[in-house]
């Protein structure tokens, strides 16, 4: 099983600042990496797939990068609606999720 | 716009079989551009893929759950189903039904999710 490890577990950021989230795979997943955003009481929402492709309508402040085993989600200027839990998921070898990074207001 | 709605019992006894239904509206479950799946979320295990099915009948299962899980579809009702046998407290979770794009032999991550249904395994 491909193990996905996210860091940090919690990220405290002030509105308007940049947030950088990391996701590491235990083996190469090529570029088959997705990011989801989840808010309390809601289902996860797909935001990035193929490591760097934004879903339709996603603001340009969200940027995904990386390939192989190291991936990053950057939110350039945090807005109030961006505070949430973010999960990465690989779909190169079956499908496994990371444990999540909570982006909270500093 | 597609809508997915989970239904089923919220409480299941240990060792029994969990049965869930996902009712799809706004799209046909035979649409060859998409596949359908189940994902669960629990405090202990986080998010976990369970199974998926393509309109042709092709199924894929989480290797760790494969022996206990069956996914199926009823095209006449535009529904798909999950059965999970011999449940234990570890199967307590929110269960989501999902739709994802299929293309070029790739099962892309699901862009559409149901609201989720909490299933508790307890006597």
């Amino acid at each position: 099983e491909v193990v996905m490890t996210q860091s940090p577990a919690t990220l405290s950021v002030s509105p308007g600042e940049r947030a950088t989230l990391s996701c590491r795979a235990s083996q190469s997943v090529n570029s088959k990496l997705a990011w989801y955003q989840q808010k309390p009481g809601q289902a996860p929402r797909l935001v990035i797939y193929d490591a760097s492709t934004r879903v339709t309508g996603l603001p340009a402040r969200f940027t995904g990068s990386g390939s192989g085993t190291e991936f990053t989600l950057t939110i350039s200027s945090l807005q109030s609606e961006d505070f949430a839990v973010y999960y990465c998921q690989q779909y190169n070898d079956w499908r496994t999720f990371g444990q999540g990074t909570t982006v909270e207001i500093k | 716009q597609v809508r997915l709605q989970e239904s089923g019992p919220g409480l299941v006894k240990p060792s029994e079989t969990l049965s869930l239904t996902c009712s799809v509206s706004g799209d046909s479950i035979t649409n060859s551009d998409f596949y359908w799946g189940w994902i669960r979320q629990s405090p202990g295990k986080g998010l976990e893929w369970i199974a998926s099915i393509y309109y042709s009948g092709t199924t894929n299962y989480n290797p760790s759950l494969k022996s206990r899980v069956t996914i199926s579809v009823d095209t006449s009702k535009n529904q798909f189903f999950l059965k999970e046998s011999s449940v234990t407290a570890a199967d307590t979770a929110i269960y989501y039904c999902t739709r994802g794009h299929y293309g070029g032999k790739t099962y892309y991550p699901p862009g559409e999710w149901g609201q989720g249904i909490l299933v508790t395994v307890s006597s």
Side-chain angles (χ1 to χ4, degrees), chain A residues 94-95, chain B residues 35-36 50-62 66 69-73 81 107:
Chain A
W94 180 235
R95 304 149 205 167
Chain B
Y35 71 97
W36 310 88
I50 303 172
S52 63
I53 189 164
Y54 187 52
Y55 86 104
S56 62
T58 300
T59 56
N60 296 94
Y61 293 99
N62 185 325
K66 187 173 184 176
V69 171
T70 303
I71 188 171
S72 59
V73 299
F81 312 96
Y107 293 86

Side-chain angles (χ1 to χ4, degrees), chain A residues 36 38 43 50 87 94-95 97, chain B residues 41 47 49 52 62 107 109-110:
Chain A
Y36 297 84
Q38 187 176 31
D50 284 351
Y87 296 95
W94 180 235
R95 304 149 205 167
F97 290 90
Chain B
Q41 185 172 28
L47 286 161
W49 262 100
S52 63
N62 185 325
Y107 293 86

Side-chain angles (χ1 to χ4, degrees), chain B residues 2 8 12 14 23 28 34 36 39 44 50-51 77 80 86 92 98 100 115-117 119 123:
Chain B
V2 68
V12 181
S23 299
S28 170
F34 298 98
W36 310 88
I39 295 171
I50 303 172
K77 294 183 178 179
F80 63 103
S86 304
T92 294
T98 66
Q115 66 183 23
I117 182 170
V119 178
S123 56

Side-chain angles (χ1 to χ4, degrees), chain A residues 43-104:
Chain A
R45 169 198 173 201
L46 178 67
V47 293
I48 298 278
Y49 63 95
D50 284 351
S52 61
T53 303
R54 283 188 291 268
V55 299
T56 302
L58 187 73
R61 63 180 180 270
F62 288 84
T63 302
S65 62
S67 66
T69 62
E70 301 283 344
F71 300 88
T72 301
L73 175 66
T74 303
I75 311 171
S76 60
S77 177
L78 274 163
Q79 305 298 303
S80 58
E81 61 267 29
D82 301 334
F83 292 95
V85 181
Y86 290 83
Y87 296 95
C88 62
Q89 182 223 310
Q90 67 81 20
Y91 48 104
N92 187 66
D93 181 1
W94 180 235
R95 304 149 205 167
T96 49
F97 290 90
Q99 77 280 21
T101 290
T102 299
V103 178
E104 64 176 24

